[in-house]
Amino acid sequence: MLKDWNRLEQPSKEEMEQRLKKARARLEQQQILMKEKKLPVLVLLEGWGAAGKGSVLGKIIKNIDPRFFKVAVMDEPTEEEARKPFLYRHFVKIPEAGKFVFMDSGWMSEVTREKLRGELSEQEYKKKIESIKRFERQLTDNGYLLMKFFFQIDEKEQKKRLDKLADDKNTSWRVSEHDVWQNKHYDKCMDVYEQYLCDTNQSSAPWYLVDAKDKKWAQLQILETLVQGIDTALQNSTLAVPLLQNAFPLKPIEKLADVALDKTLTEEEYDTLLNQYQKRLRELHNELYRKKIPVIIAYEGWDAAGKGGNIKRITEALDPRGYEVHPIASPEPHEKARHYLWRFWNRLPKTGHVAIFDRTWYGRVMVERLEGFCSENDWQRAYVEINEFEKELADWNAVIVKFWVQIDKDTQLARFKERENTPEKRWKITDEDWRNREKWDLYEEAVNEMLQKTNTAYAPWHILESNDKKYARIKALKTVIEAIEKKME
Amino acid sequence: MLKDWNRLEQPSKEEMEQRLKKARARLEQQQILMKEKKLPVLVLLEGWGAAGKGSVLGKIIKNIDPRFFKVAVMDEPTEEEARKPFLYRHFVKIPEAGKFVFMDSGWMSEVTREKLRGELSEQEYKKKIESIKRFERQLTDNGYLLMKFFFQIDEKEQKKRLDKLADDKNTSWRVSEHDVWQNKHYDKCMDVYEQYLCDTNQSSAPWYLVDAKDKKWAQLQILETLVQGIDTALQNSTLAVPLLQNAFPLKPIEKLADVALDKTLTEEEYDTLLNQYQKRLRELHNELYRKKIPVIIAYEGWDAAGKGGNIKRITEALDPRGYEVHPIASPEPHEKARHYLWRFWNRLPKTGHVAIFDRTWYGRVMVERLEGFCSENDWQRAYVEINEFEKELADWNAVIVKFWVQIDKDTQLARFKERENTPEKRWKITDEDWRNREKWDLYEEAVNEMLQKTNTAYAPWHILESNDKKYARIKALKTVIEAIEKKME
């Protein structure tokens, strides 16, 4: 792309001024339309060091109300960020509906820098490219406009600019070691950038190369492209998106109706096994910490199925400094204004830590589907998106355990009644629980579809037969232990 | 305290079991009452390395539903945290209403460690003690229960435990360099801890020393103290708190009615000065970055006074990678559930960066006061609390500039009407603006009181006469420049 790129001819100064004026005025109008249509816009500025990303960015945001944009500067990952999946720090910065985020460098810089430093094997590089393509598609499929710009300057021009910056004590800090290295290895870098741009040039999120030798001309190229992109997106905002085939290895799983719920344990069996498994899990937690392996345990299940008590039997065995339980309720406004997976990305554990989700991202294909909180296209697309999300976690070497806590309808009724009749438990039962119960059959259908479509080899579901809570707790402990042991091997 | 501490006699095993059972049952009941009464509880666990904080913590949280607590492990500050005021990382971890946070080590560890390493002069230490006392009082005054425990073991016991941990590869990572150092310098540490405990033993947040030689006994001491503390707090939850005298250096400031609003600038004067000041501010931004000085600019003012346009003239001069504008609307649920300053602590800049607040923490003594969103005791207390907050920022060496953007009532009316009649501006005017306008006199009274009570020497107010927006913008730029230059000297 970069190598045989057809540059546009730079217009006359006069023409530039005219066109700039027009584009700026349009951008000012667009910010209001974006707000109305709730369009989130992520603008990624990549390119050579000293190509002028910062100063062009400064000019562009002048036309936007500060309430409607944020700027994110993506330096090298911090120690904390390095302990999360590599897309984490980018994903958590995505804009809210109706707003801009401008990113000064992003995932391209990160991956190409690693490649240039020889930190990535060809296979690892390819894996990251796959992750990036999925990430970008997940954004655009979910209504984000993603605009990617690459600022191009030639070797000489870069050298000239770096020298100038380095000469002034107030700007010399802007010249990073990497910038200098880049200039010295310009051709090598060019090859890697060229490759990356080709690898990630998708129709839903294409690259725009910017001739950055002249700052005003660079500004105009970006403004015009941006304004055009926003206009297109504003027209499209209600379009549905093609559903992708589920290309992940799926395993068969039984339907809820076929789950045998008569499994039980005696008190004695329970006490013995509980003791034994909790002891084992405690040991494994220490090992996990030492080996820096992250663990994600996801709980879904019927109301009153016994998720809370089940989770407790797991956490009792864990060092309180090394795990967190995330109860998931309906999203808060700032969460609702973003990609539905955003709040889960935000809650991922560090390596060596355990995160337990009490309800999860599967809300998308259950409550959000059934209550109409998202469109049919949205929830149908979500199976693949969720498989992709979990693939990121698996590739990050996480242990992933997903539980469906199963009871039958009569058992639920008995437990609801017991909750209502026990003062200390009354807070656990709400009108919503009763309303959900009325939709049991619809939920069962949705759950069955969910289990079939997301039972991947790398993140399988485990059904916990929880008519007997003791049985379910022991099975959960055993499942978690086995999953961790398997990863340790 | 530690040195002449009267230990309780350890009860018999049998008695302990009985009392543990009782305390655990009470804690289980209390979590529901806390939820109902929206009581937030922060439990701070401090003490010697290997004193067993983690394992006792593990036992205590077994009695609490995972939805109702979080555990925060406070290691050494990260690089990012080190670029914020020292209380930042603690403040952002405070619990939500109705929930627990258990902190495994906290601000005591941090300050005593610094003191032991010789990183703090006597004066710096005293300043930190003052900050801590204010922080703790601000929590308890705002309805938080703060329980502080110190785990005590003697030198020999510590040595024994550290050796045992170090011997096992699965636990050796738990022994930090600091633990070993602490044991080797036990007496010196004892002196520093003793001093700290005395310095921070306030009646609203007293210290509880825990005899930690026996784990079960330690657990019982904590459980019983905690349960008692929660019971007391549950009874008190609607009590008002004594108002403190404003002990900060206040400067006189004129009343809004006396502000001369006839100041204007011609277009030519404006253009020349805008150019000149923006250029200067741009230079200073580079210097700020280099010298790692944080800047906080706070905007308050009447609706339609011209805050937005004023802010824009500041940000136009700044490098977009070094500032952030925070528009402050009504708090989201997770923000409302915490101390009212929490969301501002969360938005503090890093050193070397600029944060601009479009509306601020002064909402407490304006909209929250007038709309009854907090009690009278709450907003009356807030003047001192806010002065304290800003003192923390000043002590952190921040440049603090606070603007009140002033217009008269007729000018507001004219601008409201213009907004309504201009399609691109219509989004800026809401029914709420009209409702607020009806309360102009009440607001004016509140603003006058606010200006008088919070015009501190270290964080003074500046009134921007904004009937002529051009005049106000130039004055804002000039004021920011002068404040930064003064700090640079």
Side-chain angles (χ1 to χ4, degrees), chain A residues 32 61-62 70-71 104 169-170 173-174 286 289-290 312 319-321 323-324 332 334 427, chain B residues 32 61-62 70-71 104 169-170 173-174 286 289-290 312 319-321 323-324 332 334 427:
Chain A
I32 314 302
I61 57 179
K62 275 193 189 177
K70 295 242 176 261
V71 170
D104 185 351
K169 76 166 178 193
N170 276 326
W173 57 268
R174 288 177 182 280
N286 268 323
Y289 190 92
R290 204 158 46 83
K312 221 164 149 180
D319 183 324
R321 293 169 290 194
Y323 78 87
E324 199 159 3
E332 293 205 6
H334 70 289
W427 65 274
Chain B
I32 313 303
I61 57 179
K62 276 193 189 179
K70 296 244 177 256
V71 171
D104 185 350
K169 76 166 178 191
N170 275 326
W173 57 269
R174 287 177 182 280
N286 268 323
Y289 190 93
R290 202 159 46 83
K312 221 163 149 181
D319 183 324
R321 294 169 288 194
Y323 78 87
E324 198 158 5
E332 293 204 6
H334 71 288
W427 64 275

Side-chain angles (χ1 to χ4, degrees), chain A residues 140-151:
Chain A
T140 54
D141 279 2
N142 283 278
Y144 281 70
L145 171 63
L146 173 58
M147 303 283 290
K148 305 186 296 191
F149 295 99
F150 185 90
F151 282 61

Side-chain angles (χ1 to χ4, degrees), chain A residues 1-264:
Chain A
M1 291 185 64
L2 261 181
K3 292 187 177 173
D4 38 34
W5 161 42
N6 299 309
R7 280 170 211 240
L8 296 172
E9 201 185 330
Q10 184 170 335
S12 70
K13 233 179 174 176
E14 203 174 64
E15 187 188 332
M16 274 210 278
E17 284 301 345
Q18 236 170 4
R19 281 165 61 182
L20 270 175
K21 212 173 143 189
K22 199 174 144 203
R24 283 180 193 140
R26 183 61 190 148
L27 186 57
E28 259 184 73
Q29 295 163 338
Q30 283 176 333
Q31 61 182 336
I32 314 302
L33 299 172
M34 278 169 53
K35 187 176 138 80
E36 279 166 15
K37 291 228 179 179
K38 303 194 177 197
L39 174 70
V41 180
L42 177 51
V43 182
L44 180 63
L45 304 177
E46 297 276 10
W48 296 91
K53 298 193 292 288
S55 75
V56 169
L57 175 54
K59 295 279 194 281
I60 287 172
I61 57 179
K62 275 193 189 177
N63 311 292
I64 311 172
D65 189 289
R67 273 164 281 201
F68 299 145
F69 74 86
K70 295 242 176 261
V71 170
V73 184
M74 306 305 281
D75 290 325
E76 307 236 354
T78 63
E79 209 184 312
E80 178 97 8
E81 287 168 347
R83 292 182 66 179
K84 307 268 178 133
F86 103 96
L87 285 171
Y88 163 82
R89 69 195 196 105
H90 306 292
F91 205 112
V92 297
K93 293 254 165 66
I94 61 174
E96 287 190 291
K99 299 191 178 175
F100 287 97
V101 162
F102 293 90
M103 266 193 199
D104 185 351
S105 303
W107 48 98
M108 170 179 178
S109 291
E110 189 173 326
V111 169
T112 52
R113 199 166 48 220
E114 286 176 349
K115 198 176 177 199
L116 284 162
R117 286 180 185 161
E119 292 166 7
L120 292 180
S121 70
E122 199 50 40
Q123 207 197 341
E124 284 165 332
Y125 171 76
K126 275 195 184 141
K127 219 174 188 177
K128 290 212 165 175
I129 293 293
E130 278 315 302
S131 296
I132 285 170
K133 284 164 74 173
R134 281 185 205 134
F135 167 49
E136 295 182 352
R137 180 175 39 69
Q138 281 215 10
L139 290 180
T140 54
D141 279 2
N142 283 278
Y144 281 70
L145 171 63
L146 173 58
M147 303 283 290
K148 305 186 296 191
F149 295 99
F150 185 90
F151 282 61
Q152 169 62 18
I153 47 174
D154 64 28
E155 190 178 348
K156 268 194 206 155
E157 178 70 19
Q158 190 187 31
K159 177 95 174 58
K160 203 175 81 186
R161 293 190 187 182
L162 290 173
D163 287 347
K164 197 181 161 208
L165 286 170
D167 276 352
D168 180 339
K169 76 166 178 193
N170 276 326
T171 56
S172 60
W173 57 268
R174 288 177 182 280
V175 180
S176 71
E177 265 179 64
H178 184 68
D179 292 340
V180 175
W181 188 92
Q182 203 184 42
N183 190 249
K184 279 196 187 138
H185 302 80
Y186 190 92
D187 289 344
K188 187 177 170 186
C189 292
M190 177 65 118
D191 286 342
V192 168
Y193 298 157
E194 168 79 18
Q195 179 69 45
Y196 180 91
L197 293 171
C198 293
D199 288 342
T200 58
N201 194 33
Q202 308 186 83
S203 61
S204 56
W207 277 104
Y208 297 99
L209 306 182
V210 178
D211 179 357
K213 191 158 181 188
D214 179 277
K215 282 192 182 170
K216 190 157 272 176
W217 174 221
Q219 194 198 142
L220 180 60
Q221 292 168 74
I222 292 195
L223 265 174
E224 288 188 338
T225 314
L226 184 59
V227 159
Q228 191 184 57
I230 295 173
D231 270 334
T232 310
L234 285 171
Q235 287 167 37
N236 287 346
S237 59
T238 54
L239 284 190
V241 176
L243 295 177
L244 295 185
Q245 259 189 335
N246 208 331
F248 294 99
L250 292 175
K251 300 194 307 179
I253 186 166
E254 60 191 332
K255 296 213 162 178
L256 290 188
D258 301 332
V259 173
L261 285 168
D262 54 354
K263 294 167 186 167
T264 57

